[in-house]
Amino acid sequence: MSSASRRSPAASLRPVAVATVALLLAGCTGDPAPTTSSTAPAPTSASPTPSPTEAAVTVEGADAALTKAVAAVYAGCTGVEAKASLGTWGKEKVAVVTSGDDVTLAVGPRWKVVGGWWPSLDKGASLGKGPRFVLVMGSDARSTNLKGSRADTLQVVGVDGKGGAGVVGIPRDLYVPLSTGGTSKINAAFAYGGGRAQVRTVESLSGLPIEGYVVTGFSGFRKIVDDAGGLPLTIARSFTFLGLLDVEKGRQKADGNTVLAYARERKSLPDGDFGRSRHQQEIILAAAAAARAQGVGSLARAMTITSRHSETDLGAEEALTFLASFYRADPAEVDHTVVDGAIGTSADGQSIVKVTSSTRKPFQRLADGRL
């Protein structure tokens, strides 16, 4: 339970997405397979001779097809014992198979190894060609139907595939040309054209190739946090959000409403929307730290929860290898920032953030996948 005390249901809280990475040409540094002694007893019908795959690798929690895919990674090895954690991403299956410090990532239902890292085989990480970028969004939708809503949270998450990562936040009021036509606040692109329109708009602003997006609404975000059992989060100071929710400062296991309030609060912040974007980045990094502490085996379950309550155009292979990158990232090498801009007013009287000469600099720094 969160340490925050409720005065009434937080029905008007807005969301933030929390949220999420080549086949190995395997060798073997382990013991060679034993040769068959001339005095070994012949197999009987009651004790059939195991196949080479069965003799080489056993994978707890895996079916025969997944075991066969993992065994191909350890071709030439014997006595490999592993454990599979299974989950889903949309309609696709995902598996994270661990054996000591080795990790094998696979997608199904026709299981295919798509990445991982294998120190026992003297093989480095295979997590897709870096650098890679994903747009994480939170819509202002109050229901599960996100159509026509605005993307009030916009965070570009980058990984370099070498242990580094970074997050760049975009104020929702940044006034830019939209991929759907015209010029407006950047978050309007989602309302006019959905996730892909928002991605194209952010690509035009940032100059970065965005691989895809993940977006959730109010109820979806709250369910992601609650289904995951809460989020360890440090809140710097107490505040009351919209007169509905008292949030206490300090380290706590925050529930969905509390995390949502922290993500949306801006009135008590001296820099308003810029400070709010930094709060959202803290949530993303807190989620990554919590997942890392639980171990990479927890990734399959986390993907299942996130997929159940969000929308995305990322396939299972893309999402699995991208999110797995954070288990390789050094926390000291992960930084975050918010793009700069000038406060102004649009021709129709809206309060906006204008693009300046320094607005694109954080994206230029993130171009290699880290800040």
Side-chain angles (χ1 to χ4, degrees):
M1 293 292 294
S2 165
S3 61
S5 59
R6 292 176 189 76
R7 292 195 258 173
S8 62
S12 62
L13 297 182
R14 292 181 181 177
V16 58
V18 181
T20 194
V21 150
L23 287 171
L24 172 69
L25 299 176
C28 179
T29 59
D31 296 332
T35 56
T36 302
S37 169
S38 59
T39 59
T44 66
S45 57
S47 300
T49 302
S51 69
T53 295
E54 293 171 332
V57 178
T58 58
V59 184
E60 179 185 344
D63 60 17
L66 179 55
T67 299
K68 182 177 180 180
V70 175
V73 172
Y74 292 96
C77 302
T78 59
V80 177
E81 296 182 355
K83 180 178 181 180
S85 299
L86 306 178
T88 57
W89 183 258
K91 297 181 179 181
E92 298 179 271
K93 294 182 179 180
V94 295
V96 179
V97 181
T98 56
S99 177
D101 293 330
D102 290 1
V103 175
T104 302
L105 308 172
V107 298
R110 295 182 178 180
W111 292 106
K112 178 182 72 169
V113 174
V114 296
W117 50 93
W118 305 269
S120 77
L121 303 176
D122 290 332
K123 298 289 186 179
S126 174
L127 294 168
K129 293 182 179 180
R132 300 174 64 187
F133 308 95
V134 167
L135 180 62
V136 177
M137 297 183 283
S139 129
D140 63 4
R142 302 309 199 264
S143 68
T144 56
N145 183 5
L146 306 185
K147 187 175 182 180
S149 63
R150 291 185 175 233
D152 273 6
T153 299
L154 295 164
Q155 303 285 344
V156 178
V157 182
V159 295
D160 66 1
K162 303 175 183 178
V167 185
V168 173
I170 305 172
R172 66 177 186 176
D173 293 342
L174 195 68
Y175 206 65
V176 300
L178 304 182
S179 63
T180 53
T183 300
S184 186
K185 294 181 180 181
I186 192 168
N187 66 343
F190 188 82
Y192 296 148
R196 288 311 306 171
Q198 190 68 74
V199 165
R200 290 191 295 269
T201 299
V202 172
E203 284 183 322
S204 179
L205 170 71
S206 67
L208 299 176
I210 308 296
E211 193 166 327
Y213 68 87
V214 179
V215 59
T216 187
F218 158 66
S219 61
F221 173 75
R222 184 180 61 186
K223 289 175 181 177
I224 288 172
V225 176
D226 288 341
D227 286 0
L231 178 66
L233 187 65
T234 299
I235 295 176
R237 57 184 177 183
S238 301
F239 64 93
T240 299
F241 185 69
L242 296 181
L244 298 172
L245 186 68
D246 293 331
V247 178
E248 299 177 3
K249 70 177 181 179
R251 184 72 174 173
Q252 57 189 279
K253 191 71 169 289
D255 65 10
N257 276 338
T258 302
V259 180
L260 202 53
Y262 190 67
R264 298 312 311 159
E265 173 61 15
R266 66 169 178 166
K267 293 187 179 299
S268 66
L269 303 177
D271 50 356
D273 201 34
F274 296 95
R276 177 171 64 174
S277 187
R278 278 190 288 273
H279 278 191
Q280 295 161 3
Q281 294 172 344
E282 291 172 19
I283 291 168
I284 291 174
L285 296 180
R292 184 183 175 95
Q294 293 173 9
V296 69
S298 67
L299 177 55
R301 177 174 179 266
M303 290 182 66
T304 302
I305 294 172
T306 301
S307 176
R308 187 181 298 144
H309 303 301
S310 64
E311 295 180 6
T312 182
D313 65 344
L314 293 172
E317 178 177 346
E318 295 171 306
L320 180 60
T321 53
F322 186 88
L323 293 171
S325 297
F326 282 92
Y327 292 83
R328 301 282 299 173
D330 179 353
E333 297 295 324
V334 181
D335 203 355
H336 61 97
T337 190
V338 181
V339 301
D340 198 5
I343 303 300
T345 304
S346 66
D348 57 359
Q350 297 183 70
S351 176
I352 61 173
V353 177
K354 296 181 178 180
V355 175
T356 68
S357 59
S358 61
T359 298
R360 292 181 172 85
K361 289 183 179 179
F363 297 118
Q364 294 168 359
R365 290 171 50 205
L366 187 65
D368 63 353
R370 66 166 66 198
L371 289 174

